[in-house]
Amino acid sequence: CVSPLPANVDSEPAMPIAMIHLAEGRSEEKKHALLVSVTQAIAHSLEVPVDSVRVLLQEIPDTQWAAGGKTLAERRRGNA
């Protein structure tokens, strides 16, 4: 009989993965600070080692992010 779950499922939970979508334009320093903060928060909250936490950032161009039918690029041009 083949088990649908890995043998270690009860003893070792799978590593947590967080995916964050954000608009392009933030500095590398701010993105790094976000990665560190989110990693620490997840590790603390789930009581897992920091090394087991994965955080993925996906930057979206301002022409491909919209709210209310207007892209961020359009909103920024309107506020300039």
Side-chain angles (χ1 to χ4, degrees):
C1 178
V2 176
S3 172
L5 299 174
N8 66 347
V9 74
D10 292 327
S11 61
E12 292 183 34
M15 70 178 137
I17 302 172
M19 179 172 266
I20 301 170
H21 296 87
L22 67 161
E24 285 182 333
R26 290 174 177 86
S27 70
E28 291 301 317
E29 292 79 17
K30 285 189 183 227
K31 291 184 285 186
H32 182 264
L34 175 63
L35 290 168
V36 170
S37 296
V38 169
T39 298
Q40 291 173 345
I42 291 171
H44 176 76
S45 297
L46 298 179
E47 299 178 352
V48 297
V50 170
D51 290 343
S52 74
V53 177
R54 304 294 184 261
V55 181
L56 309 170
L57 293 182
Q58 183 175 12
E59 292 186 277
I60 310 296
D62 63 359
T63 58
Q64 296 177 15
W65 183 303
K70 287 189 174 184
T71 66
L72 288 176
E74 291 169 324
R75 290 174 181 269
R76 288 177 178 147
R77 283 193 301 268
N79 291 336

